[in-house]
Amino acid sequence: MASLVETARGLLNGWRSRPATDWLVTGAALGTHGLLVALTGHGDIFGAPGRDPRLEVYTTGATVVALVGSFVTAAIAQYASATGRRMRVLRTAPHLASQFRRNWVSVLSATLFISAVCLLAIALDTTEKDPGGVHWAVEGALLLGAARAYRLLWLFNLVDSPQVTP
């Protein structure tokens, strides 16, 4: 049992230090969902409703992600200007500093990407049934957003974590 916990902890720490794994998790989840829809003919969350409800999802997605992006930008500005021993440790500790920066950049760049996908989907989804599959791109972008949202929560918790001892 202890080795299972250690393995899970190692996987989680590996995921945290490699933001690119969010793309793999997103691809696996989207691929699995697409396969299930293809096999069963049911469960296409964004493809089932008509065009107007899909456009509402795209618009809402772009708006929410843009708002989160502005909060992330404010948080990065506060991080960059903060003083004190805890922030100095976060910036200079070899095991934390580069990981911290990579995670911030990944979260911020994802907000830009997801907003762009949602806004592009508004322009490209022009029919009632979306035969081009634009809604799948939005679903993938929103899944990436969910992974990056978890990463963002982890970053905020890291600032107050006992792992970061001044």
Side-chain angles (χ1 to χ4, degrees):
M1 183 66 171
S3 64
L4 179 62
V5 170
E6 289 300 317
T7 301
R9 185 174 291 135
L11 286 173
L12 188 59
N13 286 336
W15 171 78
R16 288 174 176 163
S17 64
R18 293 175 184 85
T21 57
D22 294 350
W23 290 93
L24 295 174
V25 169
T26 297
L30 187 64
T32 301
H33 183 228
L35 182 63
L36 287 172
V37 168
L39 292 175
T40 64
H42 300 294
D44 191 356
I45 300 165
F46 297 136
R51 181 173 183 267
D52 288 338
R54 283 196 312 271
L55 292 180
E56 289 177 21
V57 168
Y58 305 158
T59 304
T60 303
T63 303
V64 168
V65 170
L67 286 171
V68 169
S70 66
F71 292 135
V72 169
T73 303
I76 291 171
Q78 285 183 331
Y79 161 72
S81 65
T83 58
R85 290 175 24 179
R86 181 177 296 272
M87 294 312 290
R88 189 171 43 255
V89 168
L90 276 173
R91 288 188 193 111
T92 60
H95 67 287
L96 290 175
S98 64
Q99 179 177 320
F100 206 65
R101 280 188 297 277
R102 276 194 315 270
N103 279 290
W104 276 121
V105 169
S106 74
V107 169
L108 184 57
S109 63
T111 61
L112 298 171
F113 174 76
I114 297 163
S115 290
V117 168
C118 289
L119 293 173
L120 187 61
I122 293 169
L124 296 176
D125 191 346
T126 59
T127 61
E128 192 62 28
K129 291 292 183 186
D130 185 28
V134 173
H135 68 279
W136 287 105
V138 171
E139 183 175 334
L142 294 177
L143 286 169
L144 176 65
R148 294 290 163 93
Y150 178 78
R151 188 172 294 283
L152 180 61
L153 292 174
W154 172 73
L155 283 169
F156 283 131
N157 285 329
L158 182 63
V159 172
D160 289 328
S161 170
Q163 286 179 323
V164 182
T165 53

